[in-house]
Amino acid sequence: MTSYFPSITLPSQVFAQPAASILLPIALGTGIGFAIRPVDTERTYLALKQPPYRPPPYVFGPAWTVLYGLMGYSAYRAWTTGMASFNPETRELTKQGATLYTIQLALNLLWMPLFFGLKRPIEATVDIVALTGVTGYLTYIWGQVDVVAGWALVPYMGWLSFATYLTVGVGYLNNWNLADKERERPPGRTSTTKYVDEASENKAL
């Protein structure tokens, strides 16, 4: 059982307005992606040893846009349905879910800086395992408030499970150290990445 903590929960106005609820996670996710520099992120992704079934880099942008949109819609749907209820237990579950939602969004936005920015796969793995757990509980909580809100989070849960597999697989295959894949850029090279196997990977682009 969790609790509602207003001090660490997004304002109720965000949940109550469909545009704000849906666009906020999309905007924040997009902002983090561009802050880490998409070209560098793609080349880093391609340069690392990967487990089977890794998707191509161009899949991630559209996939996350859809998932963030569903996440925001779930938040709007759960909040407006739950807070309109005359059942105090339903209203309490709705507010508890709002706190969980805020926590999972923060964990979600933290993963990319940890993995691609700081190159810390262990910390990124801890983050995404925690994120998956919190989101799973959120799906259960908001599913009690509104069935549609719960189901709207199911694709997100599925993707997080797959992303956890990729994070663990990449960490394991690269000996849990991404920084040691770097070297100084050879003279005359203008590439924005310093990964040692970038040459062979770039041929596949």
Side-chain angles (χ1 to χ4, degrees):
M1 191 68 175
T2 187
S3 299
Y4 171 58
F5 297 100
S7 60
I8 62 169
T9 303
L10 288 169
S12 60
Q13 294 86 345
V14 172
F15 298 105
Q17 299 295 326
S21 186
I22 292 170
L23 293 177
L24 179 65
I26 294 175
L28 291 176
T30 301
I32 291 292
F34 277 101
I36 305 298
R37 302 177 63 182
V39 173
D40 289 355
T41 298
E42 179 175 327
R43 288 177 175 170
T44 297
Y45 173 78
L46 289 171
L48 295 170
K49 295 178 181 178
Q50 298 275 349
Y53 310 113
R54 73 170 186 184
Y58 61 78
V59 169
F60 290 96
W64 274 113
T65 300
V66 172
L67 293 172
Y68 280 133
L70 285 172
M71 180 196 308
Y73 176 73
S74 174
Y76 164 72
R77 175 96 185 192
W79 184 266
T80 54
T81 302
M83 296 308 290
S85 174
F86 293 106
N87 187 333
E89 293 184 3
T90 300
R91 292 173 63 90
E92 187 62 26
L93 284 174
T94 302
K95 292 190 291 185
Q96 291 171 4
T99 296
L100 288 171
Y101 178 88
T102 305
I103 293 171
Q104 71 81 26
L105 183 58
L107 290 170
N108 180 298
L109 298 173
L110 183 60
W111 183 89
M112 185 171 282
L114 284 175
F115 191 89
F116 287 109
L118 299 176
K119 301 179 179 67
R120 305 294 291 269
I122 294 177
E123 289 82 350
T125 298
V126 172
D127 175 84
I128 200 167
V129 168
L131 168 59
T132 304
V134 171
T135 303
Y137 190 40
L138 172 63
T139 303
Y140 169 73
I141 290 291
W142 272 354
Q144 297 180 72
V145 173
D146 181 78
V147 174
V148 174
W151 277 106
L153 290 172
V154 170
Y156 180 39
M157 276 298 301
W159 184 265
L160 286 179
S161 300
F162 182 55
T164 301
Y165 156 75
L166 291 176
T167 302
V168 173
V170 169
Y172 175 77
L173 292 173
N174 292 276
N175 298 316
W176 300 102
N177 188 349
L178 309 187
D180 69 355
K181 297 286 186 294
E182 294 183 332
R183 59 168 169 76
E184 291 301 317
R185 194 177 294 116
R189 291 297 294 277
T190 58
S191 174
T192 55
T193 180
K194 299 186 295 183
Y195 278 78
V196 294
D197 49 355
E198 63 171 297
S200 60
E201 291 288 351
N202 284 341
K203 291 178 182 177
L205 291 178

